[in-house]
Amino acid sequence: MEVLMPEPQIYVERTLAIVKPDVIDKEEEIEDLILRSGFHIIQKRKLQLSPEQCSNFYAEQFGKVFFPNLTAYMSSGPIVAMVLARDCAVSYWKELLGPSNSLRARITHPHSLRALYGTDELRNGLHGSLSIFSAEKEIRFIFPEAVLEPVPTGQRARDYLNLYVKPTLLAGLTALCKEKPADPM
């Protein structure tokens, strides 16, 4: 009986991570945890948002009771924004962050980043995008020069490999075969 396996695919998602003002001094430690969790940091920048920029960034939260405190908190000092990439980046980043309420995170997810670095419901230390759509929108907001092209899959990926990768690989392997060293080791 032959088992049919699907062709391997490469799925790389991007998400936005923000180290908030109150834990900026833990940036290197947090970055190390991010890298050890299998993420790649594609872009990174340190900046300070104005209250107006914070209002625009968190526009979906407008009208909620905590909105004025959130914009004041996020504009109170510098932040570090990072574009993280890996397979299922959005969901893995949310899992690593834990619940948005740091007090709850300490009980239910004690090893999460918000449990480790957050102090309360508002000052939870880190931001993460909620979905792929919001990640793209937030990345464009913080990194307006970023090019967010979808990773090709299916026929588009095969066409790209056939057009660009295979000829280069074939030429390189052919040249390598023609060069037979006297002592390969």
Side-chain angles (χ1 to χ4, degrees), residues 83-99:
V83 178
L84 306 180
R86 71 165 284 170
D87 185 43
C88 302
V90 173
S91 60
Y92 280 124
W93 179 238
K94 287 194 310 190
E95 184 179 325
L96 188 60
L97 285 175

Side-chain angles (χ1 to χ4, degrees), residues 8-23:
Q9 300 276 335
I10 298 174
Y11 296 103
V12 178
E13 277 182 15
R14 285 164 278 208
T15 191
L16 183 70
I18 295 178
V19 178
K20 295 182 179 181
D22 55 330
V23 293

